[in-house]
Amino acid sequence: MTDTPTPPWDGLILGAALATLDSDTGYGEITDGALGWRDGVLTFVGPRNALPDSPDRLAREVIEARGWITPGLVDCHTHLVFAGDRAREFELRLQGASYEAIARAGGGILSTVRATREASEDELLRQSLPRARALLADGATTLEIKSGYGLDFDSERKMLRVARRVGEVLGVTVRTTYLAAHALPPEYKERADDYIDAACDWLPRLHAEGLVDAVDAFCEGIGFTPAQTRRMFEAARALGLPVKLHADQLSDLGGAALAAEFSGLSADHVEYTSEDSVRAMAAHGTVAVLLPGAFHVLRETKLPPLDAFRVHGVPMAVATDCNPGTSPLLSMRQAMQLACTHFRLTPEEALRGATVHAAHALGLTDRGVLRVGARADFVQWQVGHPAELCYWLGGRLADAVYAGGRRIS
């Protein structure tokens, strides 16, 4: 009896259509496809009849599949690490209470800050993992998680540590974003400049612990001024950290242009972004991250400058903005559907926005497409066409979700 040679690939899926997205337009469709991987990296992407050998000689595991396979979804803007919820505030808003009235009664973002500060690290992880698992079950394979509900050194550190632990427990990439400049904590009331000084001082310590991948801020009338945001960005630049920005959500303070000035990875929300700012984003490669969940929950009417983004070639990403106050959204597919419904994105634009453009909004170039050499993050869907990912409201469409070549859902 002779020894059977060890196959070179870890896995090979046959039969499903592939939406490679490996071109500027179209889904990059390959019918009766074959997708192979080894050591977490794609080794073959093409039609079955182009395989270089018989499947059983190529891979340790060969899977016959139907439906479609797309790149894994990338949720490039979340606040999913927090304690408690604000469901009662949602009810009060529907009954006519204003955000200001809710905040005066002890609600709003500071209620989440209180709950997050009070939770232990293990408790914060326990509450956060189900939210992350829900995103993964619906096709997400990479997550961005922000701090910003701690607003003091120890609590911001705790949030970032929990975000790292989420990735370790679930076996997916988690990019952490430092968002201490999210809101003004009560102990710094009417001392926003002093708080920015403190937040800038905390950053090098947290970065030295390996907890920060990027820096964000909320540049808005109810947040921080462009000048204060600039100071936060300068602190990030001194450490070689990329920046992102909650920009132009409620008014045009030139936030998107400020992010572009610092060659920011992304400007997020961008409902009030001007065409001049769009041009600046295009010139500096800054991605526009659309957050239709918050638009939907807040019942906003001001649309982002979508045509300007298209005309000037600014990539549009789509993300959940998962957070307890304005976007309690636990599905990237639902975010894609809302982007199509509210913003009139095409299903192809929404899928690109949730994959390749979202990856670029995190500074990641090794995922978001199906091509040889890319990370083996992909989803097998029980659909007849990729447009169905944006068509169905709810339900489970993912048959299998793989991150780094390992099935995670």
Side-chain angles (χ1 to χ4, degrees), residues 14-15 30-34 44 46-53 55:
L14 303 172
I30 298 174
T31 58
D32 192 17
F44 185 88
R48 185 203 300 249
N49 61 17
L51 285 168
D53 204 340

Side-chain angles (χ1 to χ4, degrees), residues 60-241:
R60 295 182 180 90
E61 181 181 20
V62 179
I63 302 166
E64 285 283 347
R66 297 181 178 180
W68 281 75
I69 294 175
T70 72
L73 307 183
V74 176
D75 198 349
C76 65
H77 182 130
T78 86
H79 305 252
L80 71 79
V81 169
F82 59 86
D85 65 68
R86 281 156 52 195
R88 178 57 180 153
E89 292 179 26
F90 174 71
E91 188 173 40
L92 291 172
R93 283 202 306 271
L94 294 176
Q95 294 169 354
S98 68
Y99 182 87
E100 183 179 358
I102 290 170
R104 281 201 307 268
I109 188 173
L110 293 183
S111 67
T112 300
V113 171
R114 284 194 298 274
T116 302
R117 285 180 173 182
E118 291 169 3
S120 69
E121 184 173 314
D122 286 344
E123 175 60 19
L124 195 55
L125 178 66
R126 186 193 69 79
Q127 292 191 38
S128 301
L129 278 173
R131 294 187 283 267
R133 287 193 173 104
L135 290 169
L136 269 54
D138 210 25
T141 55
T142 300
L143 304 174
E144 185 258 15
I145 302 177
K146 303 178 190 295
S147 67
Y149 293 126
L151 309 186
D152 62 36
F153 176 79
D154 289 338
S155 301
E156 289 289 296
R157 181 175 182 264
K158 177 175 64 178
M159 289 188 68
L160 293 166
R161 284 174 54 86
V162 169
R164 285 281 191 246
R165 289 177 66 185
V166 167
E168 292 164 3
V169 170
L170 299 181
V172 297
T173 301
V174 168
R175 302 293 283 182
T176 55
T177 300
Y178 177 65
L179 182 59
H182 191 198
L184 192 63
E187 58 268 28
Y188 280 90
K189 186 177 181 180
E190 298 182 1
R191 294 193 297 127
D193 283 329
D194 291 342
Y195 177 67
I196 291 294
D197 286 342
C200 289
D201 287 342
W202 302 335
L203 178 57
R205 297 160 64 188
L206 295 169
H207 178 50
E209 294 184 30
L211 295 175
V212 181
D213 295 320
V215 173
D216 195 351
F218 183 35
C219 183
E220 193 54 75
I222 61 172
F224 295 93
T225 67
Q228 290 160 347
T229 301
R230 179 181 293 277
R231 286 163 55 198
M232 196 78 251
F233 281 4
E234 287 169 346
R237 184 161 60 185
L239 296 170
L241 286 167

Side-chain angles (χ1 to χ4, degrees), residues 254-271:
L258 178 59
E261 180 187 337
F262 282 78
S263 297
L265 293 173
S266 68
D268 303 28
H269 289 290
V270 293
E271 281 90 335

